[in-house]
Amino acid sequence: MHNFKEKIKKFLLLIVLILLQGILVESYVWRSPNNDDQAFWRENAERYLSKILKSQDIKGVDKAKNVILFIGDGMSFATIAAGRVLKGQMEKRSGEEAELVFESFPHIGMAKTYNTDKQVPDSAGTATALFTGVKTIIGAIGLNPASDESTANDRMKGIIDWAQAMKKRTGIVTTTRITHATPAATYAYAAKRNYECDTNVPEFMRSYYKDIARQLVEDYPGKGMNVIFGGGRDFLGASKKQESKFKFSGTAEISCNRNDSQNLVEKYFQQFDNKTNVKYVTTSGEMIALNIDDIDHVLGLFSNNQMDYESVRDKGSDGQPSLTEMTKTAIKILDNKKNKNGFLLMVEGGRIDQAHHQNYARLAIEEMVEFERAIQEAVDMTSDDTLIIVTADHAHSMVFNGYPTRGSDIFGMGNKPDAEPYETLVYSTGPGYYMHVSNDTNRFINITQFSDSQRAAPTYMHSSLIPMPDGTHSGEDVGVFAIGPGSRLIQGVFEQNYIPYVISFASCVGPVSHKNPLCVDNESKSNLAADTNQNLSFLLTLNCICILFRQFVS
Ligand SMILES: *[C@@H]1O[C@H](CO)[C@@H](O)[C@H](O)[C@H]1NC(C)=O
Ligand SMILES: *[C@@H]1O[C@H](CO)[C@@H](O)[C@H](O)[C@H]1NC(C)=O
Ligand SMILES: *[C@@H]1O[C@H](CO)[C@@H](O)[C@H](O)[C@H]1NC(C)=O
Ligand SMILES: *[C@@H]1O[C@H](CO)[C@@H](O)[C@H](O)[C@H]1NC(C)=O
Ligand SMILES: *[C@@H]1O[C@H](CO)[C@@H](O)[C@H](O)[C@H]1NC(C)=O
Ligand SMILES: CC(=O)N[C@H]1CO[C@H](CO)[C@@H](O)[C@@H]1O
Ligand SMILES: [Zn+2]
């Protein structure tokens, strides 16, 4: 009898130990933050999705026919707040009380943007997280973080591939060149983001990587996209046109003179049969003149390199379209009479970041306001079958500070009586330092020495604390704003790679569409599912059985 009681005690103790072990293993081994392989990030995103789904009292209608993902490159919270004030001031109001269209979206979250190897990320790594659902190393595009940089094609598929697999129409719109990091991550695979041009792929990497421009026109999902709008004619070896007025001149800038003398625009056309309606446009006039109704594919390259900043672009019909005009045309084409299964569109306000890098606060905030106009246009053009998500890939080093009086010019000065006058918008890093620190005295120049017209110039740099030819990003979280079916899943503070999982779930494409009961029709077609949770539970159970068995045998 006594012996039996002891056995029961021992048994119960064992159960407790096993449970404890299970919890430890779950939290410290499989969820180690140093784990940098694909399965880790996928599991992480799926777990957050399950958590949000469980926490919602009301069952939402999570089925979106269309998805539009807006990415303000470098659109930090400070940028958003300054953009709101500028928008109000452009409407001749005090400014602070103005509202940006996405601020009224019903669901808001915050995304953690770090790369697998960097506390403060770059656009290539963050775009890979935003499109593929897997975080990766800085500067890499579509690359599995666990894979060797020099292994043969190991491109991770993303939202454009998922949507195309479900026969949705797809498109990308950007103000940067179309091969730049953010747009590139929707279709390309590169160990380094600068493999945009054939001459930039190092000799020893050429057997593993095609340049990004060629990947766009030669491979899926690039050549399957229905709308491709941006800059970068040089990178596709297309004929040049007028140069841009204000070139992005940071150290990160590259140009391209293809050495393989290929014209990739011609090549793009060659791969479609003559029944497919394909168009190429290079000016805003040509874009607006498109006969939208029966277009299958359109390639619009509006500049040789980056497109011009909104406030300095040539607004004539021979000039470049605005981000809003491109977005409007893209939505019309994606949703034309050839659309049966819905569409997925990525729109990037790509030069907010580039202006910040050069400490051009005015240009950066004006770019942000134009980005917001494009979002307003998309909201006006779509209905409640469309999920719209607005976010940034990462934050930037601009600070919105001082105690400026209500209604002060957002590009003006702070108002702290016991300090030298200083700007409301200043940078921690960047070339603004050189403009503001005297070469003779090594001290900051009194800001009032700059005339109003000097300070109103687009190339005027706001002051910066640390001298650098090209300012840096910053590592704080970015906002995620959502409206439409599935938007309720944007909630809380999450890893950035969760966002494509929301798109997958809500629009019935990609790895977690099978988890959405409203996507059942599509279940058999989704072969990308990776249900790691099941494997984990299975392993744990097996482990427990083994321990029990050993105890009782001994
Ligand atoms: C350009 O092509 C030529 C001939 O194929 C080759 O010898 C040269 O190294 C290439 N230059 C660059 C920069 O790739
Ligand atoms: C379209 O292509 C087919 C097959 O290549 C060819 O026979 C036909 O003549 C072409 N039609 C036109 C209008 O070019
Ligand atoms: C200091 O010298 C550098 C290099 O010549 C120049 O670019 C910069 O404008 C100068 N700074 C000021 C405040 O004059
Ligand atoms: C900077 O200039 C303003 C306006 O001329 C002046 O009131 C202020 O005293 C100056 N500050 C310094 C430290 O010289
Ligand atoms: C789970 O295990 C099965 C085999 O039991 C395997 O085929 C599958 O790839 C595993 N899934 C993951 C995500 O590891
Ligand atoms: C390929 C396919 O059958 N896709 C379907 C997935 O589910 C949506 C929503 O029911 C349908 O509209 C698609 O046709
Ligand atoms: Zn940047």
Side-chain angles (χ1 to χ4, degrees), residues 198-201 203 206 257-260:
D198 62 339
T199 55
N200 284 4
V201 185
E203 203 78 44
R206 290 194 184 159
N257 271 311
R258 293 195 69 87
N259 193 32
D260 61 7

Side-chain angles (χ1 to χ4, degrees), residues 201-231:
V201 185
E203 203 78 44
F204 68 98
M205 283 290 195
R206 290 194 184 159
S207 49
Y208 304 114
Y209 297 96
K210 249 198 250 191
D211 63 81
I212 292 171
R214 274 185 63 199
Q215 292 185 49
L216 173 65
V217 305
E218 292 176 6
D219 303 329
Y220 285 104
K223 67 175 180 181
M225 289 187 202
N226 305 89
V227 178
I228 301 171
F229 284 162

